[in-house]
Amino acid sequence: MDMIKKQLLQACINHGSMKLEIFQRMLRDLCKAYEISEESFVTVEELTILINEINENINQYDQMLTIVKHPLNNEEYVVFAMLKSNLACKFQPQYTDNERKYFYKLLETLANSEDFGIEWNDIYSVANTLPTNAQHPISKQRIQDLEDQWTSQGYFIAKDHKIFFGPRTIVEYGNYLKNHFPEFIKDCVLCSKIVFWDIKCNECEVKLHRECIRKYLSKKTNCPNCKKKWNTHL
Amino acid sequence: MSAPFNADEMRTIVNSIITYVLNGASTKLPIKEKDIMQTIDKKGKLFNAALQRAGEILKETYGILMVAVPESKGAKSYICFSEDSGKSLLMHDEKQKNQLILLFIILSFIFMRTTTSIPSISEAYLQNFLKTLHIDFDVPHEYFGNNIRKLITDTFVKQLYLKREKSNSDLETEIKYCYSWGFRAHQEFDKKCLLFATAQIMKKPAKAFGTKYDEVCKDEEDAG
């Protein structure tokens, strides 16, 4: 079983983020390869237990695995997240300083847009807003490659010709986004976890998770924030 | 008897090294010891002890082996690979999977076509072989990517899958190159597997490849 956990960890580190169903299929393959029964790893609850067991080993190294349901497509992802920003995090051998700055610029641009999304084509113009880009511009091909890499790693997610925050960004950069863009990105007042899309109250415009407000409205009829009568369609 | 290191400081340094190694692991490029030292700004006995501890943790918790690259000309460097490879194709993403398949083809070819007296094959020979499989150095390939030349002559060499050396020839005026297995290939690929796979493709029993069969049996004996 230990071997399976290690292989799962390696795969998660490699992918950065993967759909839960792929994680399950991989687990089945590994069980076959190591001749262990797959019976105890079928439901999401059982998978969560397995993931928590792995976390017990890696939390001490400022890392964790977690299952995230992305609000935009309701798909579940297994995300490998590095939690603390130690010196070594800044060194990612495959990215230049400029490319790292580009990543943060993309986060900033997404945070400032209405639905936290930008048109796919705008990724090029965002690079041009970098002050340092003038001397050593990132080539169009490289921008595309970076975008592909970051999307497959789970930092961004593509939907309807637009790009949004991906599951891994939500986990790794949640606090960063709340701290840097507090007017736009906040916690849901009901569960205190970060909320991006979901539902807005018509009166006070506060954002809440669909599930949170649904549960709340089964007992009450007003907005938990402004206390006015709730009249937004769920 | 050296004084024990501060436990907290040690833990921070070990964590930094682990982060550094895992961040760069997917590129498969060798990690230079001095790059790590520069990034986390530590050196000497403390660094060496932390590096060793990090290596142990990588093996125990992640199943990743961090091994020093031999003969790396002064600058010590390491490569990382799984202690137990290839249990599920889903562990790799699409691009990595395709690259591994190309490597499998190239490494098998080199293995089958080299002997102790002829330890490498020429670039021209490799190119011609790949052409028979419709894999051309200078033509974008649907499966293996747009720049096969760069992939084989540069990327795989930097990742230490392939060794690419200038071939000694006083007669030739042009510089020619020849290929052999790189350090990483020796660690990650199992020669016996390659032989049996090749035999299957050629529809012959593995024993039909006499010298090669003896070679992998001897390797197994030596290891086991």
Side-chain angles (χ1 to χ4, degrees), chain A residues 3 5-11 13-15 18 22 25-26 29-30 33-34 54 57-58 60-63 80 82 84 86-94 149 152-153, chain B residues 11-12 14-20 22-27 35 39-41 53 57 59-64 82-93 95-96:
Chain A
M3 287 304 287
K5 285 189 199 159
K6 289 193 223 180
Q7 295 274 305
L8 285 173
L9 239 190
Q10 284 173 33
I13 296 173
N14 191 30
H15 286 266
M18 63 169 95
I22 300 196
R25 270 165 50 200
M26 188 173 55
D29 284 348
L30 291 171
Y34 289 105
I54 299 178
N57 292 333
I58 60 175
Q60 57 191 303
Y61 309 120
D62 306 323
Q63 297 157 12
F80 172 78
M82 295 218 170
K84 223 161 77 167
N86 57 32
L87 279 170
C89 271
K90 298 205 175 71
F91 193 96
Q92 305 245 354
Q94 60 262 56
Q149 253 176 53
S152 76
Q153 286 270 310
Chain B
R11 201 177 309 127
T12 318
V14 170
N15 281 9
S16 295
I17 297 178
I18 294 177
T19 308
Y20 186 102
L22 290 179
N23 269 346
S26 62
T27 66
D35 283 344
T39 306
I40 66 176
D41 198 23
R53 180 72 195 124
I57 295 172
K59 178 166 193 269
E60 285 157 16
T61 306
Y62 300 84
I64 293 176
S82 175
E83 63 181 348
D84 199 8
S85 51
K87 288 297 188 267
S88 167
L89 272 179
L90 294 167
M91 286 183 59
H92 307 285
D93 64 43
K95 195 167 116 183
Q96 289 168 332

Side-chain angles (χ1 to χ4, degrees), chain B residues 69-104:
Chain B
V69 179
E71 22 146 295
S72 34
K73 289 185 220 162
K76 199 163 188 197
S77 59
Y78 299 86
I79 58 164
C80 291
F81 50 91
S82 175
E83 63 181 348
D84 199 8
S85 51
K87 288 297 188 267
S88 167
L89 272 179
L90 294 167
M91 286 183 59
H92 307 285
D93 64 43
E94 197 68 31
K95 195 167 116 183
Q96 289 168 332
K97 201 171 48 162
N98 298 350
Q99 287 185 359
L100 282 173
I101 292 174
L102 183 59
L103 267 172
F104 186 90

Side-chain angles (χ1 to χ4, degrees), chain A residues 117-200:
Chain A
I118 56 172
E119 296 276 331
W120 203 94
N121 284 328
D122 288 342
I123 59 173
Y124 303 109
S125 44
V126 171
N128 291 334
T129 63
L130 285 171
T132 43
N133 204 39
Q135 301 140 344
H136 303 286
I138 314 176
S139 75
K140 233 182 173 189
Q141 181 62 54
R142 180 69 180 151
I143 292 179
Q144 256 174 43
D145 289 342
L146 287 173
E147 192 49 54
D148 284 340
Q149 253 176 53
W150 288 332
T151 305
S152 76
Q153 286 270 310
Y155 286 112
F156 300 118
I157 197 169
K159 189 178 183 232
D160 306 328
H161 303 293
K162 283 178 107 166
I163 292 172
F164 302 87
F165 293 127
R168 197 168 177 192
T169 302
I170 296 177
V171 179
E172 280 189 9
Y173 290 94
N175 286 332
Y176 170 86
L177 291 170
K178 277 191 291 188
N179 291 335
H180 282 75
F181 311 108
E183 335 77 270
F184 303 120
I185 297 175
K186 305 188 173 112
D187 285 332
C188 165
V189 298
L190 288 172
C191 70
S192 302
K193 294 219 182 89
I194 197 169
V195 61
F196 294 98
W197 300 278
D198 288 80
I199 296 283
K200 237 199 284 201

Side-chain angles (χ1 to χ4, degrees), chain B residues 93-131:
Chain B
D93 64 43
E94 197 68 31
K95 195 167 116 183
Q96 289 168 332
K97 201 171 48 162
N98 298 350
Q99 287 185 359
L100 282 173
I101 292 174
L102 183 59
L103 267 172
F104 186 90
I105 296 172
I106 297 176
L107 291 173
S108 302
F109 182 67
I110 298 177
F111 173 60
M112 298 301 288
R113 290 292 174 180
T114 49
T115 62
T116 32
S117 44
I118 311 172
S120 60
I121 60 164
S122 75
E123 188 163 76
Y125 193 25
L126 178 65
Q127 254 179 302
N128 286 334
F129 166 68
L130 290 176
K131 271 216 184 92

